[in-house]
Amino acid sequence: MELHSSPSSFLVFILITLITVTNFITICSLPILPLVTPLQSSKQRDTKSNSKQSNKTLFTTHFFPQELDHFTFQPKSFNLFNQKYLMNSTYWNRGPGHHGPIFVYTGNEGNIEWFAENTGFMFDIAPKFGALLIFIEHRFYGESLPFGNNSYKDAESLGYLTSTQALADYAILIRSLKQNLSAEASPVVVFGGSYGGMLAAWFRLKYPHIAIGALSSSAPILQFDYITPWSSFYDAVSQDFKDESMNCFEVIKGSWDEIITKGSTKKGLWELSKTFKACQAVQSVWSFRDWLWSSYTYTAMVDYPMPANFLMPLPAFPIQEMCRRIDVFPKGSDKIDMVIAAANVYYNYTGDQKCFQIEHKSDPHGLGGWNWQSCTEMVMPMTITNESMFPPYNWTYDDDISSCNSTYGIKPRPHWITTEYGGLRIEQVLKRYASNIIFSNGMKDPWSRGGVLKNISSSIIALVTEKGAHHLDLRFATKEDPPWLTQQRNQEIAIIQGWIDQYYEDLKDVSS
């Protein structure tokens, strides 16, 4: 019997536990992903955004002296760190008698430039609204590191990395910015996608006196506790591939055992390293599994109807292209060759990669803090059923405790998110005290299963598109956009316009 562990470089919601291998595969550790993006898995490449402008014209960079701890009054709580934010004031209307709105992006688990470059919707609508655009970087990501290079050193430092601290950062920065810009009366609308979308919704709930509304795109705020079926994420990924091609689904489903069996010997590992075109000899068969696994899950998330390079340069409808490459193989072909061909759509669609860093992946977007967050409050249970194209897996809280204690010396709090922000019986709760939130989801996105998919009230609106993918609505408009996407964005614009119009009406009533 051999014991294996998943590579430590892989960002996971459920951290690494030992995997027991006999003559069949039993997975006790999933190569589960952060909400937005993978680590770079091929040689370092320049994944420029689809933005219509260069960074120099998209935004200017600023830093705000942010307090370390907003919730205690110990002396060290008042220590400051530089929090990065980006600004675009090109269209901001500050004329007499009009206080132009401020649109704020609540930053995710990565450097803020990357999110700004891929949130073109805000730039597209800024001229219509005469809006100031602000993108705030999340603490412990990008350059917003409270302890510099020692920010990830231990739990003593990482203990300040929480969603509540991040929301308080945003609130303080926005209030200070409005005061310094003499814009106290300007309405604020927050925007976010994925984890940033969760933060946007939670910000509206926690700080309704600061933001008049929130656009929360692809935000799985119901992926906690027992609210959403634990198998829903991988059920959705599998369904995306099954809908495209049953043969494609079956080939992927049948490939795992072949890979594990072949990689059970040193000779087999060497042969797989060659077949996969690894840049260096791969030391663990689980690295091949993770590499393929990531390509399927991330491609399902960004199965956009137009070419995009948010995660990797991909064609329109990338799942369709993956399955096409599998389906062109003659009957009886080697399943390993077939799934590698499919994965190359994700890792090498441009054809410029000669080999792949299957192990020792780089982290170009600075996502290292998500390991901590998934081990503390972002506990999203996931299981895999026998019907999935992935090997079956059962999640247990005890495994989570063991691995998080081993890594950080801490214990996860699986019920904290629903305690702090709610989620259970959300329809009954939010309609009584909340307002002005758009929850947008595309059903091709596996994270949509943990999102709000039905209207809760007349002002808490769910916009659901059958063919949409991971925060597609937040991307720049393109000539390839299908009519349903244009319609969705127009609905969002109209709703936001209504919030702002009502705000100005209320402002007049107060002033009169």
Side-chain angles (χ1 to χ4, degrees), residues 459-470:
S459 67
I460 302 180
I461 307 298
L463 298 180
V464 180
T465 54
E466 180 183 351
K467 298 179 181 179
H470 204 51

Side-chain angles (χ1 to χ4, degrees), residues 476-488:
F476 277 101
T478 72
K479 62 182 180 181
E480 294 94 350
D481 290 347
W484 57 262
L485 177 57
T486 302
Q487 181 182 4
Q488 178 189 8

Side-chain angles (χ1 to χ4, degrees), residues 53-61 87-88 90 117:
Q53 302 166 277
S54 69
N55 288 357
K56 291 182 179 179
T57 56
L58 276 179
F59 47 73
T60 56
T61 302
M87 179 187 295
N88 183 307
T90 305
E117 292 162 6

Side-chain angles (χ1 to χ4, degrees), residues 21 32 68 76 115 258 294 387 395 399-400 410 478:
V21 182
I32 300 177
L68 177 63
K76 64 180 179 181
F115 294 107
E258 293 190 14
S294 299
E387 287 70 37
W395 181 86
D399 287 339
D400 223 14
I410 54 95
T478 72

Side-chain angles (χ1 to χ4, degrees), residues 413-469:
R413 296 179 181 174
H415 309 298
W416 176 245
I417 290 297
T418 52
T419 301
E420 178 68 12
Y421 305 114
L424 299 167
R425 298 181 299 280
I426 193 170
E427 297 88 354
Q428 288 79 15
V429 174
L430 289 193
K431 72 180 180 181
R432 287 184 169 85
Y433 85 97
S435 63
N436 292 9
I437 302 175
I438 302 169
F439 291 103
S440 65
N441 281 282
M443 295 309 292
K444 282 196 168 186
D445 176 18
W447 288 117
S448 65
R449 301 328 190 255
V452 176
L453 303 178
K454 295 181 180 179
N455 292 349
I456 292 176
S457 70
S458 60
S459 67
I460 302 180
I461 307 298
L463 298 180
V464 180
T465 54
E466 180 183 351
K467 298 179 181 179

Side-chain angles (χ1 to χ4, degrees), residues 63-66 80-84 137 143-146:
F63 290 88
F64 177 77
Q66 189 64 262
L80 301 177
F81 69 95
N82 288 325
Q83 183 168 28
K84 179 186 278 189
E137 192 163 72
E143 295 182 59
S144 301
L145 303 175

